[in-house]
Amino acid sequence: MAKYVINGGRRLEGTVTISGGKNAAVAILPAALLVSGKCRVENVPDISDVRTLLDILADLGAEITYEEPSTVILDCTNVQSTHPNPELVRKMRASYYLMGALLSRFHEASVALPGGCNFAARPIDQHIKGFRALGAKVQQTEDYVHLKPGPNGLKGGRVSLDVVSVGATVNIMLAACLLPGRTIIENAAKEPHIVDLANFLNTMGAHISGAGTDTVKITGVEKLEGGTYAIIPDQIEAGTYLAAVAATGGNVLVQNVIPKHMECVTSKLEEMGVTCIHYDDSIRVMSDGRLSATNVKTRPYPGFPTDMQAQICVCMSIAKGVSNLTENVYETRFFGYCTELAMMGADILISGKTAIISGREKLTGAVVRAHDLRAGAALVIAGLVAEGATVIKNISFVERGYEHLAEKMTSLGASIQRIED
Ligand code: UD1
């Protein structure tokens, strides 16, 4: 297990380049299973979730080659297995996308239930509802999902999701791509990575429309051909750097972003007293570190992302006044980091799905532990702000989703070291 050691209190200055989107990459790489021929995928982030997924695909029989610095060429033509390695599958959340992709291509799959960040109960009933709407027979055991054609075979169908789910929307899109007929997903998620997946699949020859709205329509095609595609920038990584500069104070150009994807985050930071200037593909963030309290409610896109809840909580912890932070997607998400922030001096009272945060003048360094990916990122920001030294243990969580975080922060003037325990 590695740890970060951070000496806080330094302003951040300079330029940081945002990597390809984690949540887009973990949907697009399994989508290569649907393609006959080579997919050249650019802007792939070098993070452990992506490495695990590529290991799973290689183990299934995919030919994978790497081109520096962030391009991966996948050829899944010779894949024959429909049983991904369960130990690898259990290492991450998005491995559940193998269910939809394998079902579409082979009409059957046996996939272990996924692992990943456990900040809340994360059911997959909506994924299964979608597979059933496409005619699949689904058998779920304690630790596996088995999929095969039902009595009437697999074909397009209509599914209205009971909750807006990114995972279910992606999985049904993948499953429907190569099935005959038309699939309609109602109450679909609208996150940028849904649009990115649709763009990838359409580039390879799929017929998907409506991605980015709440109704996604897929007309099945017989075959997808290879091609080249570049993944969108990671809006949560970008938001994390914006929040870090807001909290520490500084002046940073965050480049390789799609500013439109960031509006919900930048408008909240502006309410807190931060200046964000939007350019075509970058945002300049300027802060004197003196923040004002605000209120945030997380919502599915285009609302404030739950994946930025912990980072904005750190900003609120040092803002003047009392902030309310309401979590509407994963109610138990506060528990992954609020106790750790309290050890650093934050004043957070959790009442149901709302955290009431009374801003303090300063945080103080402490030895803390990352319990999940975004919680870990929030502790990094807290460490950068705090007086004295902070040690963050368990940073393998952070490395699931942030490419070269310590190097990028160091290049902005932070004092952060990654140390192998
Ligand atoms: C994805 C993101 C994750 C983000 C989350 C919400 C990926 C790989 N992960 O996770 O970073 O925090 O979206 O933006 O893209 N739900 C059900 N039944 C289901 C599926 C979901 O009840 O079958 C509920 C969940 O408990 C949650 C809500 O729906 O309350 C949203 O979950 P969902 O969008 O599916 O999250 P993930 O796809 O797991």
Side-chain angles (χ1 to χ4, degrees), residues 229-257:
Y229 190 79
I231 291 174
I232 53 167
D234 194 308
Q235 79 268 32
I236 304 299
E237 187 197 14
T240 301
Y241 283 95
L242 294 175
V245 178
T248 59
N251 180 341
V252 170
L253 185 69
V254 182
Q255 64 181 19
N256 189 34
V257 299

Side-chain angles (χ1 to χ4, degrees), residues 248-270:
T248 59
N251 180 341
V252 170
L253 185 69
V254 182
Q255 64 181 19
N256 189 34
V257 299
I258 298 175
K260 174 91 191 134
H261 295 166
M262 306 305 306
E263 276 170 5
C264 211
V265 172
T266 52
S267 65
K268 274 296 156 193
L269 292 175
E270 281 166 350

Side-chain angles (χ1 to χ4, degrees), residues 23 96 122-127 165-167 307 329-330 333:
N23 288 347
Y96 52 28
R122 300 180 81 182
I124 58 163
D125 57 298
Q126 298 303 302
H127 305 230
S165 161
V166 173
D307 281 355
V329 182
Y330 290 111
R333 204 163 188 173

Side-chain angles (χ1 to χ4, degrees), residues 123-421:
I124 58 163
D125 57 298
Q126 298 303 302
H127 305 230
I128 288 173
K129 174 176 162 170
F131 298 144
R132 289 198 169 121
L134 303 180
K137 182 164 191 273
V138 186
Q139 191 199 357
Q140 187 176 347
T141 63
E142 204 179 313
D143 52 3
Y144 254 88
V145 175
H146 303 280
L147 301 157
K148 58 184 184 181
N152 299 319
L154 294 168
K155 56 178 182 304
R158 179 182 284 265
V159 58
S160 177
L161 297 177
D162 302 334
V163 288
V164 179
S165 161
V166 173
T169 305
V170 167
N171 237 338
I172 301 164
M173 286 166 67
L174 291 171
C177 256
L178 297 180
L179 299 186
R182 198 164 202 233
T183 295
I184 297 179
I185 310 171
E186 284 161 348
N187 200 25
K190 296 182 274 209
E191 266 69 1
H193 32 290
I194 304 281
V195 179
D196 209 33
L197 173 66
N199 288 341
F200 168 82
L201 289 166
N202 285 342
T203 301
M204 305 294 151
H207 286 179
I208 301 175
S209 60
T213 75
D214 53 16
T215 306
V216 179
K217 296 174 185 155
I218 306 120
T219 304
V221 294
E222 280 189 7
K223 200 174 173 197
L224 299 184
E225 309 276 359
T228 294
Y229 190 79
I231 291 174
I232 53 167
D234 194 308
Q235 79 268 32
I236 304 299
E237 187 197 14
T240 301
Y241 283 95
L242 294 175
V245 178
T248 59
N251 180 341
V252 170
L253 185 69
V254 182
Q255 64 181 19
N256 189 34
V257 299
I258 298 175
K260 174 91 191 134
H261 295 166
M262 306 305 306
E263 276 170 5
C264 211
V265 172
T266 52
S267 65
K268 274 296 156 193
L269 292 175
E270 281 166 350
E271 271 177 43
M272 298 182 87
V274 177
T275 302
C276 298
I277 304 171
H278 291 221
Y279 302 105
D280 285 350
D281 61 0
S282 59
I283 296 175
R284 180 167 294 284
V285 53
M286 292 179 280
S287 167
D288 60 9
R290 286 196 292 272
L291 304 175
S292 311
T294 189
N295 298 323
V296 166
K297 293 179 178 169
T298 67
R299 299 251 179 238
Y301 189 82
F304 191 93
T306 174
D307 281 355
M308 280 297 299
Q309 180 225 88
Q311 301 89 316
I312 201 84
C313 184
V314 178
C315 295
M316 291 168 162
S317 298
I318 52 158
K320 193 164 191 288
V322 178
S323 301
N324 287 325
L325 175 56
T326 302
E327 174 56 50
N328 288 311
V329 182
Y330 290 111
E331 284 185 21
T332 52
R333 204 163 188 173
F334 294 122
F335 298 106
Y337 66 94
C338 285
T339 314
E340 312 292 317
L341 281 186
M343 285 162 61
M344 300 178 73
D347 181 345
I348 305 172
L349 178 70
I350 297 170
S351 169
K353 59 182 190 175
T354 298
I356 302 153
I357 302 143
S358 304
R360 290 279 171 263
E361 279 199 2
K362 60 172 184 152
L363 298 178
T364 311
V367 178
V368 290
R369 179 174 289 270
H371 294 279
D372 67 63
L373 166 59
R374 305 304 170 188
L379 293 176
V380 169
I381 300 175
L384 295 175
V385 173
E387 267 184 24
T390 296
V391 177
I392 305 175
K393 297 185 168 183
N394 249 7
I395 60 163
S396 60
F397 281 112
V398 180
E399 293 175 341
R400 278 185 181 166
Y402 289 89
E403 183 175 80
H404 307 149
L405 182 128
E407 290 90 330
K408 288 186 185 185
M409 286 293 186
T410 302
S411 77
L412 297 177
S415 167
I416 172 168
Q417 275 181 292
R418 182 188 185 281
I419 297 174
E420 286 291 344
D421 253 349

